[in-house]
Amino acid sequence: MLSSNIDYYKPMTIKEALELFYFLKAKNKRPIYYAGGTEIITLGRLNLVETDALIDIKELKECQLFEFNESYLISGAVISLTDIEEKNLFPLLSIASMGIADRTARNKITLGGNLCGQIFYREAILPFLLCDSQVVVAGYNGVEAFPIEQIFNQNLQLQDGQILIQLLTEKKYINLPYMSIKKRQQWDTGYPLLTIASIKSDNQLRFAFSGLCPFPFRSKQMEVELNNTNSSIEERIQKAIQFIPGEILDDVEGSKEYRLFVLKNTIEEIMNEMEGR
Amino acid sequence: MDQSPSKKLSVSLSINDEIRQVEIRPVDTLLYVLRTKLGLTGAKPGCLNGDCGACSVVMNGTVYKSCIMLAIEAVGQKITTIEGLKDSPIQKAFVENFAFQCGYCTPGFIMNCHSLLLKNPNPTYETLKEWLSSNICRCTCYEEINEAVLSVIENKEKTNE
């Protein structure tokens, strides 16, 4: 259960949010940033979140943006997954987001909440990994943008007090050929077994994965093998899976062996479709 | 639901076109406040985990699961609960189409369908399926629930002809 003595703050600016965070830390409080809050509430109910101050960042206008500027698509951290789907400015992100939770829950789940969550699927990160997006964060040093490759390693590597503000995705990536396939053990609802997203850029396929390991990832070593057209698709996949960057999940959603079986088939399905595009 | 004493705030909530003054703690979920503080027991506690949809309410026209929303987030917003949909077309359609058995999930389904029809008065089958997959009915009345929504759409079309 979340502590009954939680304080709740709703800053209107990034500066105010940061100052609040550092002020509360200095008072030995345990503040956390709150956007959709779905994971904080559900994990809090199980005593898996410890906090005594919620800093609600939904009013930060920089976090609310979902629009193009001259060069980039700006995806703010507090936009809901439903907004992403309905505005459909980034079709691959729309598809990836639609696979998360259910329609009503997605009205509350935010992009930033999904990316910073503890749940290991976090499918909304996949399009950004594929498109080499920039991650905009605010902290002690002001507002800074980092290449996603630099700041995302299994999780977003945010320092204490840093706020995820936006993701910037170059326009050139937005309408590239793409596929995103989500596999569940059965039916169309429930937790996923595996999600694979792919884009084709400069005639090379890029792949990002969720549900295979306890974290989402993109592996350039796997991509090198999968794009080696001197070998058959089957051989390429066999070589690529040697570079899976972590333990393969083995849980109630599917055994390690079953996940590998589904992984191989799904990569093959994507390659057969995407290589012809 | 957590009922331990702690710091409290006095807030106004706009619910079913009424302003209700209520004392809440920042940690209270909207579901807890609706049921325990305001006597609006139509929203049902089911999974309390954002999975089943029995606690669904509509806020500013959009459906939310009130077990994964803090009451303090609802301050300044316009909330509709099942009590606010008395005699609405969707409520009547559920009755006429026998779209329930035990009835526990029914308020959540009705709120979801109400929000769907507000946003999309003539949804495709795929849209309907996507929206309704947010709610779980252990009695498996899914076909009748579909029919209830379709009957509201058909009736609207007839009225417009």
Side-chain angles (χ1 to χ4, degrees), chain B residues 28 43 47 104 129 142:
Chain B
D28 290 336
C47 65
Y104 198 82
K129 190 175 157 191
Y142 297 110

Side-chain angles (χ1 to χ4, degrees), chain A residues 1-8 10 29 34-38 41-42 45-46 54 56 58 85-86 98 102-108 188-189 191, chain B residues 1-2 4-7 25-27 29 47-51 56 62-65 67-70 72-73 77 112 119 129-131 133-135:
Chain A
M1 190 70 65
L2 283 171
S3 158
S4 56
N5 278 316
I6 281 181
D7 288 316
Y8 174 87
K10 202 167 187 179
K29 298 273 188 181
Y34 181 96
T38 55
I41 295 172
T42 53
R45 202 170 61 87
L46 303 172
L54 300 176
D56 190 334
K58 285 198 285 293
E85 174 185 342
E86 288 181 347
M98 283 171 73
D102 60 64
R103 183 65 167 67
T104 305
R106 291 197 296 275
N107 289 334
K108 191 79 167 45
D188 295 332
T189 56
Y191 284 101
Chain B
M1 279 180 265
D2 187 4
S4 56
S6 71
K7 60 183 73 171
R25 301 168 308 168
V27 74
T29 62
C47 65
L48 298 177
N49 199 48
D51 292 325
S56 298
T62 299
V63 64
Y64 292 95
K65 298 178 181 185
C67 73
I68 50 171
M69 174 179 285
L70 299 177
I72 199 163
E73 293 180 86
Q77 317 298 326
N112 192 10
K119 284 189 182 276
K129 190 175 157 191
E130 187 200 355
W131 278 65
S133 68
S134 302
N135 294 60

Side-chain angles (χ1 to χ4, degrees), chain A residues 6-277:
Chain A
I6 281 181
D7 288 316
Y8 174 87
Y9 302 91
K10 202 167 187 179
M12 302 305 286
T13 65
I14 292 174
K15 183 170 178 283
E16 201 184 324
L18 290 170
E19 283 174 357
L20 255 174
F21 188 95
Y22 297 124
F23 172 77
L24 291 166
K25 284 295 273 190
K27 295 218 157 208
N28 292 322
K29 298 273 188 181
R30 296 164 299 172
I32 54 174
Y33 295 116
Y34 181 96
T38 55
E39 189 174 278
I40 293 171
I41 295 172
T42 53
L43 293 186
R45 202 170 61 87
L46 303 172
N47 294 319
L48 296 174
V49 171
E50 288 189 353
T51 181
D52 40 29
L54 300 176
I55 302 176
D56 190 334
I57 60 168
K58 285 198 285 293
E59 292 299 317
L60 305 185
K61 62 180 191 304
E62 295 86 347
C63 297
Q64 296 169 346
L65 294 177
F66 189 42
E67 61 188 35
F68 287 102
N69 68 13
E70 258 182 34
S71 314
Y72 294 97
L73 172 68
I74 305 167
S75 305
V78 305
I79 53 174
S80 72
L81 299 184
T82 309
D83 275 345
I84 289 171
E85 174 185 342
E86 288 181 347
K87 290 182 181 160
N88 198 25
L89 301 179
F90 185 0
L92 175 57
L93 180 61
S94 303
I95 296 288
S97 300
M98 283 171 73
I100 297 167
D102 60 64
R103 183 65 167 67
T104 305
R106 291 197 296 275
N107 289 334
K108 191 79 167 45
I109 299 171
T110 59
L111 176 61
N114 185 259
L115 302 190
C116 297
Q118 294 185 37
I119 192 166
F120 51 65
Y121 297 110
R122 285 173 278 146
E123 294 104 309
I125 195 76
L126 303 182
F128 299 109
L129 290 172
L130 292 173
C131 296
D132 293 328
S133 298
Q134 301 273 315
V135 181
V136 179
V137 300
Y140 261 128
N141 301 325
V143 177
E144 300 171 281
F146 299 94
I148 197 163
E149 197 176 15
Q150 187 182 325
I151 200 169
F152 187 87
N153 179 14
Q154 301 190 7
N155 297 292
L156 270 181
Q157 306 291 309
L158 297 179
Q159 292 163 15
D160 205 22
Q162 279 188 324
I163 309 173
L164 172 64
I165 303 291
Q166 298 164 346
L167 290 106
L168 305 178
T169 307
E170 280 185 78
K171 279 182 176 175
K172 68 177 183 182
Y173 287 110
I174 298 296
N175 292 311
L176 290 176
Y178 70 91
M179 276 182 83
S180 178
I181 297 181
K182 180 166 191 157
K183 297 282 189 186
R184 293 181 174 89
Q185 205 175 51
Q186 52 188 347
W187 307 310
D188 295 332
T189 56
Y191 284 101
L193 182 76
L194 186 70
T195 303
I196 306 180
S198 176
I199 62 168
K200 191 173 192 178
S201 175
D202 298 327
N203 216 29
Q204 297 286 296
L205 293 179
R206 299 180 179 189
F207 292 87
F209 304 86
S210 155
L212 184 63
C213 299
F215 50 85
F217 67 90
R218 174 183 169 197
S219 163
K220 291 191 177 174
Q221 287 170 303
M222 289 177 75
E223 286 172 8
V224 168
E225 297 299 340
L226 293 170
N227 282 295
N228 178 8
T229 49
N230 293 324
S231 306
S232 68
I233 286 181
E234 202 178 321
E235 286 168 342
R236 286 187 258 166
I237 294 171
Q238 206 55 45
K239 284 182 181 167
I241 61 174
Q242 295 170 34
F243 294 102
I244 294 170
E247 272 295 301
I248 298 173
L249 287 166
D250 189 359
D251 59 21
V252 68
E253 304 301 335
S255 66
K256 175 181 172 180
E257 291 75 20
Y258 182 57
R259 275 190 160 87
L260 266 176
F261 171 75
V262 175
L263 172 75
K264 289 178 191 171
N265 289 339
T266 311
I267 293 177
E268 187 174 345
E269 186 181 341
I270 290 174
M271 289 175 75
N272 283 329
E273 172 69 26
M274 293 282 281
E275 288 197 340
R277 290 194 192 176

